Amino acid sequence: MKKSIFNTIKHIEQAASPKKTTITADMNITERHQAILQKLQESGRVDIIELSDSLQVSGVTIRKDLKLLEEKKLLFRTKGGGSIQNPYANEKPLNEKELIHAEEKKKIAKAALPFIDQTDSIIIGSGTTVFELARILHPSRHLTVITPALKIALELCNRQHIEVLQMGGLIHQNSSSAAGSFAEKLLDEISCGILFLGVDGIDPDFGLSITNLAEASLNKKMIHIAQKVVILADSSKFGRRGIGRIGNLDLIHYIITDKHAPKDLISQMEEKGVQVIIAD
C-alpha cells in the first residue's frame, strides 16, 4: 500500500508543472489527488472537512476523490476521511500476531508493570500484548491472576507468588482463549483490582473492539467486575474497528501504547477522560 502511494505521488509530481502543488480554486483532479496522497504520506490519514477547506472544493468532491483513490488501492476510506491502513481489523492466528510490532508490545508490557503494585488481584485478557505482560510478571508478594487465556495460565502457573485462576469454557482456536457462558459465570462470583485488556481496535466513535464476537461479550463482563481498566495496545490498533464491539471509551481508565500512536486520536481519547501513556 505505502509503496503504491509513493510511486503514484512520484509519477504525478513528474507529470505536473510546476512541481510544488499550488492550492487554487480551479485545481484539477490530478493536482487534488497529488495533494491528498501527499497528506496521506505525511500523517497516515486524511479528513474530508480539512481537505475541503485546504483544497477549496466541496465535501462531495473530496468524497468522490477518495472513492477513486480507494478503487486504485491507494487508500482506505474511513468515516469522515481516508487512511493508509485498513480500518477494519482482521482476525489472525496467535503465532502470527506475535510477530507484529513485537518490540512495541514488549515496551508497552514493561510500562504496565507498575500498576500491579497497586493490587493483589488482576485479570489478564487474551492477546499477544497482554501475554508480554505475563512473560515479565515476577511479583514480590502474593498475586492472584485471573485469565481466560491458556497460554498466559501456562506461563504463570509455576511462577513464584502467583496463584492462577483459569477461566473455563469453549476455547477459541485462533486466540487459545476461553469464551462463552461458562467463562462468564465465573465472573459473577468475583471482584478484581485491575484488568489488563488487549484489543484489536480503538476508535473514538466506535470505542473498543476485537475480531471475535464471543470474546467481546466476555471482555464486557471483565470490564464490569474490575475496579480499574488498562488497555494495552500498539499504535496500529488506533482508528481501527473489529467486528465485536466491547464498549465506549468511558469504560476504561488508561491506554498504554507506543510513540507512533496518532496524536490527534490520542487527544480525542484524553478528551473522553482516558489517560494515555506512551511506552518508550
Side-chain angles (χ1 to χ4, degrees):
M1 173 64 74
K2 288 186 178 179
K3 186 176 180 180
S4 297
I5 290 173
F6 298 156
N7 289 340
T8 301
I9 292 172
K10 184 177 180 181
H11 176 74
I12 294 173
E13 286 175 344
Q14 289 173 346
S17 179
K19 290 186 178 181
K20 184 176 180 181
T21 301
T22 302
I23 297 174
T24 64
D26 59 349
M27 286 182 72
N28 62 41
I29 188 170
T30 301
E31 291 170 331
R32 287 201 312 275
H33 286 186
Q34 179 188 28
I36 292 170
L37 293 173
Q38 185 64 44
K39 176 66 175 175
L40 194 67
Q41 178 188 358
E42 293 169 355
S43 60
R45 56 197 300 271
V46 289
D47 179 83
I48 289 174
I49 296 175
E50 291 178 1
L51 289 173
S52 178
D53 291 340
S54 64
L55 301 181
Q56 301 175 25
V57 293
S58 69
V60 173
T61 298
I62 295 299
R63 287 184 176 88
K64 290 179 179 178
D65 288 338
L66 295 181
K67 184 175 184 295
L68 287 171
L69 291 171
E70 184 178 52
E71 288 173 353
K72 295 178 181 178
K73 302 187 183 302
L74 296 174
L75 55 73
F76 295 98
R77 282 189 294 168
T78 63
K79 182 179 179 181
S83 173
I84 201 169
Q85 291 185 333
N86 189 341
Y88 298 100
N90 297 316
E91 188 170 21
K92 297 182 178 66
L94 198 63
N95 59 351
E96 182 179 334
K97 292 172 70 174
E98 286 178 342
L99 304 176
I100 303 172
H101 302 289
E103 289 304 313
E104 286 84 354
K105 290 174 181 178
K106 291 176 182 178
K107 292 178 181 179
I108 290 167
K110 186 176 180 181
L113 272 179
F115 283 95
I116 296 173
D117 295 334
Q118 305 170 20
T119 184
D120 59 0
S121 63
I122 64 173
I123 300 177
I124 302 181
S126 64
T128 54
T129 309
V130 291
F131 176 72
E132 289 299 329
L133 175 61
R135 196 196 297 271
I136 63 173
L137 182 56
H138 294 273
S140 58
R141 55 186 176 81
H142 179 267
L143 178 70
T144 299
V145 178
I146 307 153
T147 184
L150 289 177
K151 190 172 182 179
I152 289 174
L154 290 171
E155 177 73 20
L156 297 176
C157 64
N158 294 316
R159 193 78 55 86
Q160 189 176 13
H161 302 305
I162 292 179
E163 181 178 59
V164 177
L165 178 55
Q166 170 70 61
M167 297 166 63
L170 185 66
I171 302 299
H172 182 59
Q173 188 173 11
N174 278 351
S175 65
S176 298
S177 181
S181 59
F182 290 106
E184 292 178 26
K185 284 179 181 178
L186 173 65
L187 298 177
D188 290 332
E189 308 299 326
I190 61 177
S191 178
C192 177
I194 303 176
L195 165 64
F196 295 96
L197 190 64
V199 296
D200 295 314
I202 305 174
D203 183 272
D205 299 317
F206 194 65
L208 306 170
S209 58
I210 59 174
T211 55
N212 180 268
L213 287 171
E215 290 186 26
S217 177
L218 179 63
N219 287 345
K220 290 178 184 178
K221 196 73 175 285
M222 293 193 295
I223 287 175
H224 179 70
I225 70 163
Q227 298 171 27
K228 188 178 296 183
V229 180
V230 183
I231 301 298
L232 308 187
D234 67 74
S235 55
S236 69
K237 309 301 173 58
F238 282 74
R240 306 188 77 184
R241 300 183 181 190
I243 189 174
R245 185 173 183 272
I246 299 171
N248 295 330
L249 294 174
D250 59 10
L251 295 173
I252 65 176
H253 302 88
Y254 298 90
I255 295 175
I256 305 179
T257 188
D258 60 76
K259 63 182 180 180
H260 301 296
K263 290 182 172 57
D264 59 334
L265 292 186
I266 289 177
S267 297
Q268 292 182 55
M269 308 295 166
E270 292 175 336
E271 288 173 3
K272 295 178 182 293
V274 180
Q275 184 173 339
V276 179
I277 298 171
I278 305 298
D280 53 21

